[in-house]
Amino acid sequence: TVTDFDDLPDRGSANEVVRISGQSGTQEDDYYVEWDGSQWVESIGFGEAENLGNETMPQVLIRNGDGTWTLRPHDWRGREVGDQYSNETPSFVNKKVNDLFVFQGRLGVCAGESIVLSEVNYFEQFYRSTCVQLEDDNRIDVELRFGRVENIHAALAVQDELILFSDKGQFSLSSGGQTLTPKTVSAKQIGDFLTSTDVKPHTIGKSAFFTAQTGNHTVAREFFLGAATDDRLLSSELTIQCPQYIAGNARYIQASRDHKIIFVLTRDAPT
């Protein structure tokens, strides 16, 4: 172990690994280098290798040249540098994945109270690619902490913001007009409307449509995402004139801008 990179010898032994501890006295900024025979290159800590389980991670559906499709496990990257402190395990590990989305060149995962976005233009990488410094394109890992359990079941990209839905509220993940990075990301609550966890909200322009169950029936609502007041969502109930028309147990909502129609499918009334 040395304190600074400049403290390293000019040459090392074959496969020699050295920890750079830094000046802070904490383990979060430590990183490792290895002598590759000609120079010191960033490496992984002793016994710190970690991989994601391909069988339990999201699968990929591939279109073949003959028009058929193949569903198979994907190759996800593991921890290749640093250790458990400087390059933490993604917070979705050991949680159920509720939603996948793409936002600003990143693949996002909703799991429990966690929102994890991959490295920019590198969907397979949910660990940091370097621990020498925090790069803007590194993965983003946010856990909601608003005083109660908020399991996120859906995420919608609306312009430069990401709207997150739990069963009891809505949240915004944004960067205040800056480029979204691990340093600029922040989350705030923007609504407290009940939503159906089995129905992914649908967006058109600056409006989002979603459902909520009241007793044995389903209500549909619209969010006006571009008309928030004091950082709170404005909403209207589309089924206010017929609150008991749609049976409960909704599973899908779709909106048509051209026809000005909302379609709701429900398991309790499939026809």
Side-chain angles (χ1 to χ4, degrees), residues 1-11 18-23 31 33 40 132:
T1 300
V2 298
T3 303
D4 297 311
F5 185 86
D6 292 339
D7 296 331
L8 290 167
D10 292 337
R11 297 183 59 83
V18 180
R19 177 166 62 92
I20 313 296
S21 63
Q23 301 284 351
Y31 65 96
V33 293
W40 294 102
V132 176

Side-chain angles (χ1 to χ4, degrees), residues 107-142:
L107 177 65
V109 175
C110 298
E113 295 185 282
S114 300
I115 308 298
V116 188
L117 295 98
S118 72
E119 186 174 311
V120 175
N121 297 325
Y122 195 176
F123 288 177
E124 295 77 17
Q125 183 58 279
F126 285 101
Y127 290 85
R128 291 179 60 176
S129 295
T130 177
C131 295
V132 176
Q133 60 184 5
L134 186 60
E135 302 285 357
D136 287 348
D137 62 354
N138 279 171
R139 66 99 181 265
I140 295 173
D141 197 328
V142 178

Side-chain angles (χ1 to χ4, degrees), residues 137-196:
D137 62 354
N138 279 171
R139 66 99 181 265
I140 295 173
D141 197 328
V142 178
E143 290 196 66
L144 301 184
R145 292 288 184 265
F146 290 93
R148 65 184 185 187
V149 177
E150 300 287 355
N151 289 319
I152 303 302
H153 65 86
L156 288 180
V158 181
Q159 297 181 332
D160 62 345
E161 287 189 291
L162 191 68
I163 309 300
L164 311 173
F165 292 80
S166 76
D167 61 335
K168 299 180 291 292
Q170 294 73 42
F171 305 85
S172 171
L173 195 73
S174 64
S175 56
Q178 305 178 62
T179 302
L180 186 69
T181 72
K183 303 173 187 176
T184 63
V185 65
S186 64
K188 62 184 178 182
Q189 185 165 4
I190 56 176
D192 53 8
F193 299 97
L194 298 178
T195 62
S196 302

